[in-house]
Amino acid sequence: MPSDYLHSLYTGFIPRRERSVDSKTLWAAICSITLVQWGHFWCGWLAWICDSFDFFSVSLSVTNLEKQFNKPPGTITTAITLTLLFRSLGAIIFGVLSDRYGRKWPLVANLLIAAAFELGSGFVQTFPQFLAVRSLFGVAMGGIWGLASSTALENLPVEARGLASGFLQEGYAVGYLIAAVVNLTLVPETSSGWRGLFWLGAGLSVLAAAVRAVLPESELFLRAKAVERAQGHTTVNKTRVFMHETWEMLKRHWILCCYAVLLMTGFNFLSHGSQDLYPTYLTTTKGFSQHDATVATIIGNCGAIAGGTIAGWLSQYAGRRLTIIMFVVIVGAFIPLWILPSTFGALAAGAFCIQFGVQGAWGVIPIQLNEMSPPAFRATFPGVAYQIGNMVSSASAQIEATGAAHLKKVTTIVNGEPKLVANYATVQGILVGVVAAFVVLCTIVGPENHGSRFEKYKAAFEEGAGRDEEMPDVEEVQDSADASSRAASIREVREKDLDV
């Protein structure tokens, strides 16, 4: 309800003392993680690495794709835009499948489909074929984040989820880092050239699918489904029930849904605006070789990995929103170092600091979205919010390429005539600065359910939930309300079936 959302605005940025996690508690929580829980976490992390590797294969190949298809950068980036546009469709499809049928097989199918289109990307011969395959790949790619985050986080102890969230999210930076290393070392040495980068990405996705296939289903998901079967819900028209309860969720949480989309729009502009054309920015505006641009990209991703891990850990103590704000402020502070220098060392340092801030803020997002999600939609809600934000920000690469092409910069004088190049530095600096301010504002006015216990959904769904000795927290009351709404939905659909 709107009142639930507005109430959460006044809970403060720093978590209450009883929710704080000291180092001993955190270490005890990490030690309590079972082998299966570790398997789920690392599987989700690997899936997210594959997602990133596949996506950034295009960003790292822009120069080679220009030569292959004889197109300018602004046209080549259409492939990036289409991939991001279609990701929201994939998030809806695979998120719904995961919330209904489990975390395991929908993710396996998702990864295999992504591998097929990634493999196809390396065999195309014309630019329209490339755009078509990348669009279809966007659908497959869209489902992975929601499924990977729910698989990795929902079964972990509450006290470890902040650190785990940061480390999970930096699978994205690790995937970009691996792709950059491959592009730097293997691609120039192979006869297949840029195509080999896509073929390797397909192989990694198949490996991730195989790992998920041998792991069991999520324990939390199985418990929720067991409760439904115990209550006799297997005889109900499940499709009608799911659609009805989705509608009820949207009516109850519409402000939360709108807020999540706005927040993820800002975050995706921040990420894609600082990453997608960074190698092109260094080679075009700064005049570096493709080798040096790739090395700088690797350095930036090292900063991203460090930032995300530190921010995830810090959010467990300082709260989710305050941590996000702190790291976005770091982004704003280092924009000058990112765009003004001309030497490799200074620009690489700027890339490290910018990505430390960008991916540090991003490191809190998986657990922030999972904690604020309505319990019955923990795979659908984060994934769809994230990918709709991706859809809105999908044109970021084209905005930068078009803006840089129109905002020329003089580099040298050749035969008395100024040599003009696309000015990516100014365009990216303005875009990232504006978006950083927007993200800070959205974070300040947003909710925070720090320490939300996902497993309370099961207890709330059972009739005996009221026997818990502890007084419920705000988010536990919300979980109970969502469970009651779900039960009401099932009763209403059953009554309609009986009337018919």
Side-chain angles (χ1 to χ4, degrees):
M1 296 176 66
S3 59
D4 300 325
Y5 171 74
L6 294 175
H7 180 273
S8 66
L9 298 183
Y10 302 98
T11 58
F13 286 105
I14 300 177
R16 298 198 303 266
R17 181 176 300 275
E18 59 268 25
R19 288 187 185 171
S20 303
V21 181
D22 57 32
S23 57
K24 292 183 179 179
T25 305
L26 177 61
W27 179 248
I30 293 174
C31 292
S32 71
I33 298 175
T34 66
L35 289 177
V36 172
Q37 290 172 330
W38 277 121
H40 283 149
F41 175 78
W42 290 115
C43 180
W45 186 71
L46 178 59
W48 193 219
I49 286 177
C50 296
D51 199 14
S52 174
F53 185 104
D54 296 343
F55 176 76
F56 284 109
S57 295
V58 175
S59 298
L60 292 165
S61 304
V62 168
T63 302
N64 292 327
L65 292 172
E66 289 178 49
K67 298 175 182 177
Q68 176 72 39
F69 300 121
N70 193 26
K71 301 290 184 181
T75 303
I76 295 296
T77 54
T78 304
I80 297 175
T81 301
L82 290 174
T83 298
L84 295 176
L85 274 174
F86 282 95
R87 282 172 71 170
S88 56
L89 177 60
I92 294 172
I93 294 172
F94 289 102
V96 169
L97 289 174
S98 180
D99 280 329
R100 287 196 60 189
Y101 300 111
R103 311 302 189 216
K104 181 176 180 176
W105 295 114
L107 181 56
V108 171
N110 197 172
L111 287 165
L112 291 176
I113 293 171
F117 290 125
E118 185 70 3
L119 188 67
S121 299
F123 284 103
V124 297
Q125 298 300 320
T126 66
F127 189 60
Q129 290 175 353
F130 187 71
L131 292 181
V133 173
R134 296 311 295 178
S135 298
L136 293 172
F137 171 76
V139 177
M141 184 181 180
I144 292 177
W145 188 85
L147 274 63
S149 62
S150 58
T151 296
L153 298 178
E154 68 181 4
N155 291 293
L156 293 180
V158 174
E159 295 80 7
R161 285 175 187 156
L163 178 61
S165 172
F167 198 82
L168 169 69
Q169 184 58 33
E170 292 329 300
Y172 195 68
V174 172
Y176 194 2
L177 177 63
I178 295 173
V181 171
V182 171
N183 188 62
L184 179 69
T185 57
L186 298 182
V187 169
E189 303 298 327
T190 59
S191 58
S192 58
W194 62 269
R195 299 177 188 273
L197 191 61
F198 291 87
W199 294 337
L200 179 59
L204 289 175
S205 294
V206 172
L207 173 63
V211 171
R212 186 65 189 98
V214 300
L215 289 170
E217 181 57 87
S218 165
E219 182 181 356
L220 193 69
F221 178 85
L222 291 176
R223 287 177 180 176
K225 290 303 176 184
V227 172
E228 291 184 12
R229 288 193 297 271
Q231 303 248 337
H233 300 155
T234 55
T235 59
V236 184
N237 186 326
K238 291 186 176 181
T239 300
R240 290 178 60 192
V241 169
F242 190 84
M243 295 302 295
H244 184 78
E245 59 190 31
T246 299
W247 173 246
E248 292 299 319
M249 185 272 288
L250 290 174
K251 287 197 300 182
R252 182 179 183 83
H253 301 288
W254 66 271
I255 293 182
L256 182 64
C257 294
C258 293
Y259 167 76
V261 170
L262 285 175
L263 181 68
M264 297 318 298
T265 296
F267 263 96
N268 279 292
F269 262 116
L270 192 66
S271 177
H272 294 296
S274 63
Q275 288 182 326
D276 291 2
L277 291 183
Y278 182 71
T280 305
Y281 150 58
L282 290 182
T283 56
T284 303
T285 304
K286 298 299 181 179
F288 289 116
S289 66
Q290 191 168 356
H291 177 278
D292 288 345
T294 304
V295 172
T297 301
I298 292 172
I299 293 172
N301 279 289
C302 290
I305 295 169
T309 305
I310 292 172
W313 166 79
L314 182 62
S315 74
Q316 202 70 35
Y317 300 88
R320 314 302 187 201
R321 289 186 295 170
L322 182 59
T323 303
I324 289 173
I325 292 171
M326 291 166 58
F327 278 80
V328 175
V329 169
I330 291 175
V331 174
F334 282 99
I335 287 177
L337 183 62
W338 187 51
I339 64 175
L340 294 180
S342 299
T343 63
F344 175 82
L347 286 169
F352 183 95
C353 295
I354 284 289
Q355 292 307 321
F356 181 88
V358 170
Q359 295 304 320
W362 260 105
V364 187
I365 285 299
I367 191 60
Q368 170 73 337
L369 284 182
N370 272 274
E371 285 179 340
M372 74 167 65
S373 297
F377 301 89
R378 192 155 281 125
T380 305
F381 182 89
V384 171
Y386 172 40
Q387 301 302 355
I388 291 178
N390 250 325
M391 181 178 67
V392 178
S393 66
S394 61
S396 57
Q398 284 190 300
I399 290 172
E400 290 181 341
T402 303
H406 286 84
L407 189 64
K408 298 289 186 178
K409 175 184 178 181
V410 178
T411 55
T412 58
I413 304 297
V414 179
N415 298 326
E417 295 293 331
K419 182 182 179 181
L420 300 176
V421 297
N423 191 357
Y424 284 94
T426 301
V427 173
Q428 289 189 352
I430 293 172
L431 178 65
V432 171
V434 171
V435 171
F438 174 78
V439 169
V440 168
L441 178 62
C442 280
T443 305
I444 289 174
V445 302
E448 178 172 339
N449 291 334
H450 183 279
S452 175
R453 295 182 177 270
F454 301 161
E455 63 274 11
K456 287 294 183 180
Y457 170 65
K458 180 185 80 69
F461 204 38
E462 296 172 343
E463 292 182 358
R467 293 194 298 266
D468 289 351
E469 296 180 1
E470 297 180 354
M471 291 296 291
D473 291 334
V474 172
E475 66 273 7
E476 293 169 11
V477 173
Q478 185 63 61
D479 286 359
S480 180
D482 287 326
S484 299
S485 176
R486 182 182 178 93
S489 299
I490 295 171
R491 285 196 300 271
E492 182 173 336
V493 171
R494 182 186 288 126
E495 290 170 359
K496 289 181 179 179
D497 289 343
L498 291 174
D499 290 342
V500 173

